[in-house]
Amino acid sequence: LCWVGALLGDICSGLALPGLRNGVRHWRGFFPHLLPSCRISESHKELLPCRAKTNIMFLKTHKTASSTILNIMFRFAERYNLTVALPANELFHLGYPETFQAQFVEEFQTIGQNYNIMCNHLRFNPSEVQKVMAANTFYFSILRNPILLLESSYVYYKDDVPAFKISKDVNEYLASPMKYYHPANYKQNIYARNIMWFDFGYDNNAEGNKKYIQTVLKEIEQNFHLILIADYFDESMILLKHTLCWDLDDVIYFKLNSRSQDTVQTLTPESKERVKAWCSLDWKLYLHFNQSFWRRIEETIGLEELENEVNHLRRRQKELMEICLLNQEAVGKDHINNKALLPYQSGAANILGYNLKQGLDNRTLRTCQKMVMPELQYMSHLYAVQHPHKKRKQLGLP
């Protein structure tokens, strides 16, 4: 171990032979606790001092491609034997939609601040999160264009949200939202208005005066080191990779919890404008952090390098899809062969999943399974691994 540590140190200082540098990933596989104190570029042409971040809090917002990021976080945690703050007892999320409390985390009283990863759904409450996560934790989240988000929420939560249930379609709802939306039922209707604002811990029915909005935006900037944008997901993964000092394979993904195109409802131009007014808090939130996202990229990566790395990510993703997936694409719920990999289905959405190729060797099979494993099944798996003495989560799924 001392020799490996010295070798990694030499690599980071540029003293090791080029041939030895190429073996870093091999050694990291055997000694996950010796996480790199430097990042080696994909071409091995430049060495940048960098320490991979392993204490991370991801605020998982709704309908923002966050299930795909959760899968990335879970795989990273398993790869390096990190501890995940998982929902306690029979919970499937960290108390959502209640404001987060540390007691919602399994064995918090025993483990204290020794969790590495927190990424399950919660309504953000910084003082309580800080009881669970270490002082050097990296905080990040993701936002999505509220126009696309509301349509997605409408279809996904059609059967659960009172404001959605009694309207014919999303355009009818947006034509007169107060006809269907009753603030008194805010816990049932949170998905129907300013859901991202709510997830960050704020009142989604608040009056959107300029001073209040600026105060909230400033608080979010203080609480979070990075805000990604779902509409530019590959670009977001490259920025995340750079910021966390991870390798490319740490952010490779297959898109999870997406739905079939035939369930997408087309918004009229009038409806799109109405979303900006009806979800004005989310709209201001999105505009602000969309600007800061691109500013951050220009300052840290540059647009030309970003394009190169996005292309590299997509090539690697395509390569893994060819290795893992039957037909190299997602399929509808009725066409998923292994029902243990069936995603949770909700509302009028047809949530897609994947079929794996037959005959994969055990190591490849495990890698591919984890990349396509739906959120609830992966959470249940990690829970059983981390808390083997506890009763397994009863998901009501195959």
Side-chain angles (χ1 to χ4, degrees):
L1 289 178
C2 292
W3 182 86
V4 173
L7 172 62
L8 290 173
D10 287 347
I11 291 169
C12 292
S13 62
L15 299 178
L17 295 173
L20 291 178
R21 294 175 192 162
N22 295 336
V24 172
R25 288 189 180 85
H26 170 78
W27 284 109
R28 283 172 60 202
F30 287 100
F31 304 104
H33 56 288
L34 291 175
L35 285 168
S37 57
C38 68
R39 176 168 60 79
I40 300 175
S41 70
E42 300 303 324
S43 64
H44 306 294
K45 290 179 180 177
E46 64 176 330
L47 298 167
L48 301 174
C50 189
R51 183 175 297 276
K53 292 178 172 61
T54 57
N55 290 334
I56 302 164
M57 191 276 167
F58 169 58
L59 176 62
K60 187 179 187 296
T61 48
H62 284 80
K63 313 314 299 170
T64 58
S66 60
S67 292
T68 300
I69 296 182
L70 180 131
N71 180 272
I72 289 170
M73 302 302 294
F74 280 171
R75 284 188 282 121
F76 186 83
E78 277 206 284
R79 190 173 298 131
Y80 299 114
N81 196 28
L82 304 176
T83 304
V84 182
L86 295 169
N89 303 318
E90 300 301 316
L91 293 177
F92 299 142
H93 43 63
L94 294 170
Y96 195 91
E98 300 296 329
T99 302
F100 175 75
Q101 301 291 322
Q103 67 192 32
F104 296 153
V105 175
E106 187 65 76
E107 294 193 352
F108 161 69
Q109 299 296 342
T110 304
I111 298 176
Q113 281 187 308
N114 293 315
Y115 296 93
N116 303 111
I117 304 289
M118 175 183 276
C119 55
N120 288 86
H121 271 310
L122 61 83
R123 189 177 185 210
F124 192 61
N125 183 2
S127 61
E128 287 293 305
V129 171
Q130 287 162 13
K131 293 179 182 178
V132 177
M133 302 303 292
N136 68 344
T137 295
F138 181 89
Y139 289 76
F140 80 103
S141 189
I142 188 166
L143 301 174
R144 184 184 183 188
N145 186 320
I147 297 170
L148 302 174
L149 188 152
L150 185 68
E151 184 277 330
S152 178
S153 293
Y154 186 92
V155 175
Y156 193 84
Y157 297 109
K158 175 69 172 170
D159 297 339
D160 301 312
V161 174
F164 293 161
K165 272 185 182 180
I166 55 178
S167 53
K168 182 181 68 175
D169 57 34
V170 68
N171 289 303
E172 182 179 278
Y173 171 70
L174 287 168
S176 184
M178 287 306 295
K179 179 180 176 182
Y180 308 103
Y181 182 93
H182 303 293
N185 298 332
Y186 82 95
K187 283 190 178 179
Q188 290 75 39
N189 278 329
I190 53 175
Y191 304 105
R193 188 183 194 191
N194 293 315
I195 180 59
M196 295 188 293
W197 200 264
F198 183 88
D199 287 348
F200 275 88
Y202 301 99
D203 179 5
N204 60 317
N205 291 307
E207 292 294 327
N209 67 75
K210 188 174 181 180
K211 184 177 180 181
Y212 168 69
I213 290 172
Q214 289 304 315
T215 299
V216 169
L217 293 177
K218 187 174 181 180
E219 284 182 3
I220 293 173
E221 286 180 333
Q222 291 171 343
N223 288 326
F224 289 85
H225 300 94
L226 179 66
I227 302 292
L228 303 177
I229 300 297
D231 311 85
Y232 306 100
F233 194 80
D234 287 348
E235 292 83 354
S236 289
M237 291 305 95
I238 297 303
L239 181 57
L240 185 68
K241 175 181 83 78
H242 277 264
T243 310
L244 296 181
C245 194
W246 287 7
D247 290 330
L248 182 67
D249 273 6
D250 293 328
V251 297
I252 287 291
Y253 68 92
F254 296 156
K255 191 175 183 181
L256 298 180
N257 209 39
S258 61
R259 60 194 163 115
S260 59
Q261 279 298 309
D262 61 349
T263 65
V264 176
Q265 297 186 15
T266 302
L267 274 71
T268 65
E270 294 79 13
S271 290
K272 292 178 181 179
E273 291 304 311
R274 286 168 183 151
V275 173
K276 297 177 186 179
W278 174 241
C279 298
S280 61
L281 300 174
D282 272 2
W283 184 247
K284 296 290 197 325
L285 181 69
Y286 175 77
L287 290 180
H288 179 84
F289 284 103
N290 186 43
Q291 284 187 336
S292 66
F293 171 79
W294 289 106
R295 187 163 59 246
R296 181 81 165 261
I297 282 176
E298 289 177 354
E299 291 172 353
T300 59
I301 304 173
L303 295 178
E304 185 176 346
E305 177 61 19
L306 175 70
E307 183 179 4
N308 292 335
E309 295 200 37
V310 164
N311 289 335
H312 190 182
L313 181 147
R314 289 171 179 167
R315 287 195 300 271
R316 178 62 176 146
Q317 182 186 55
K318 185 174 185 293
E319 177 184 313
L320 286 172
M321 293 181 85
E322 290 172 351
I323 291 171
C324 293
L325 303 182
L326 200 64
N327 302 324
Q328 298 173 42
E329 63 180 4
V331 298
K333 60 185 178 182
D334 297 329
H335 298 285
I336 298 171
N337 299 328
N338 183 355
K339 298 307 178 185
L341 296 177
L342 178 70
Y344 175 75
Q345 303 293 318
S346 177
N350 178 2
I351 305 301
L352 305 178
Y354 295 95
N355 290 318
L356 299 179
K357 284 185 175 178
Q358 299 294 312
L360 299 173
D361 66 81
N362 287 339
R363 182 178 178 183
T364 304
L365 178 61
R366 283 195 298 272
T367 298
C368 296
Q369 282 177 332
K370 288 173 183 176
M371 289 195 69
V372 303
M373 193 177 294
E375 177 179 335
L376 292 179
Q377 286 93 317
Y378 211 149
M379 185 269 292
S380 178
H381 162 69
L382 284 181
Y383 187 87
V385 170
Q386 287 190 188
H387 308 289
H389 58 291
K390 295 275 187 177
K391 182 182 177 182
R392 291 195 66 148
K393 299 279 188 184
Q394 301 300 312
L395 302 179
L397 292 166

